[in-house]
Amino acid sequence: MANHSQLNFQDAASPIMEELMGFHDHALMVALAICSLVLYLLTLMLTEKLSSSTINAQEIELVWTILPAMVLVMLALPSLRILYMMDEINEPDLTLKAIGHQWYWTYEYTDFKDFTFDSYMTPTADLPLGHFRLLEVDHRVIVPMSSTVRVIVTADDVLHSWAVPSLGVKTDAIPGRLNQTSFLASRPGVFYGQCSEICGANHSFMPIVVESTPLANFENWSSLMSS
């Protein structure tokens, strides 16, 4: 999870988030190259003597047309690649349904074991020692590690958004509509998120906690929940 004075993203816990972080670094390098070129040209204009000689205007127009086009292609191609990767859901191992309410989440595991539970933020007074204030919940979402999980997201009342930064997931929850996304947790751990759509007075108090565990642990947990 994020900490104080952190300047970069949270550590990636899914292949999609690793791709997003790589594209972020790539875009920053392109922006740095553009800024360096503009700064060099400004410095050159301020320090060099003005010359009355002119060059062919067609050559200048050719350069300032082709260079921006090349920059846009350098940004567009990897961006489109990641967009298609995020939209592709091939034979998920598990389907999870997340329903947003004011101000808690309901989760349904319908295709593996048919059970449902509500997830409320743990009040500060009941928070165990060492847990995170305003981020811990009474019932975590447990998913198997290294398995493709499809998340169907909707809402019961107003707009919400199911977002877990470490997994590279952010999907709007809209009443009367089903949106879907997917992720694959590449390592075990506990990953924190929050509702990312202003949904009312207690918008800040409906966190999301996803715990990735080995498959055997997940099966034991699901058996306990369904019994």
Side-chain angles (χ1 to χ4, degrees):
M1 62 171 292
N3 52 56
H4 296 293
S5 72
Q6 180 173 329
L7 299 179
N8 207 343
F9 292 105
Q10 299 179 28
D11 292 338
S14 70
I16 288 295
M17 190 57 194
E18 292 175 0
E19 292 285 343
L20 290 172
M21 292 176 67
F23 176 70
H24 170 264
D25 296 340
H26 168 72
L28 281 185
M29 290 299 102
V30 173
L32 179 62
I34 294 173
C35 293
S36 300
L37 177 61
V38 172
L39 182 61
Y40 169 73
L41 293 176
L42 286 175
T43 305
L44 201 63
M45 292 176 62
L46 292 174
T47 57
E48 294 292 325
K49 289 185 178 181
L50 296 177
S51 174
S52 60
S53 62
T54 58
I55 61 175
N56 193 342
Q58 291 181 350
E59 296 177 358
I60 299 178
E61 291 179 357
L62 188 65
V63 170
W64 72 38
T65 301
I66 292 179
L67 280 182
M70 292 176 60
V71 170
L72 291 177
V73 170
M74 290 174 61
L75 293 175
L77 292 181
S79 175
L80 290 173
R81 173 176 169 270
I82 296 175
L83 283 174
Y84 278 104
M85 290 175 61
M86 295 176 68
D87 195 52
E88 192 71 25
I89 303 176
N90 290 323
E91 298 181 359
D93 301 306
L94 174 68
T95 298
L96 168 69
K97 186 175 182 180
I99 306 172
H101 307 273
Q102 290 182 311
W103 286 273
Y104 64 96
W105 293 95
T106 297
Y107 297 102
E108 299 179 0
Y109 290 74
T110 54
D111 62 348
F112 186 78
K113 296 282 187 178
D114 192 3
F115 60 86
T116 303
F117 61 86
D118 296 329
S119 180
Y120 290 85
M121 185 192 75
T122 303
T124 303
D126 302 331
L127 199 63
L129 185 64
H131 287 229
F132 299 108
R133 176 177 171 270
L134 303 183
L135 288 177
E136 194 55 69
V137 295
D138 56 355
H139 292 95
R140 294 176 172 177
V141 176
I142 311 296
V143 297
M145 181 182 67
S146 301
S147 299
T148 302
V149 179
R150 175 175 58 185
V151 185
I152 298 175
V153 184
T154 187
D156 187 52
D157 36 43
V158 298
L159 291 177
H160 300 277
S161 184
W162 200 81
V164 183
S166 292
L167 299 174
V169 176
K170 184 177 185 294
T171 304
D172 287 342
I174 303 173
R177 175 171 176 167
L178 295 177
N179 290 332
Q180 71 173 359
T181 185
S182 66
F183 65 87
L184 185 150
S186 55
R187 57 184 172 86
V190 180
F191 313 112
Y192 295 89
Q194 291 177 298
C195 176
S196 296
E197 190 74 49
I198 297 177
C199 55
N202 292 331
H203 158 69
S204 301
F205 308 108
M206 49 183 304
I208 301 159
V209 182
V210 177
E211 182 175 349
S212 171
T213 65
L215 180 60
N217 294 356
F218 171 76
E219 292 176 339
N220 293 335
W221 171 81
S222 62
S223 299
L224 291 174
M225 292 294 292
S226 58
S227 59

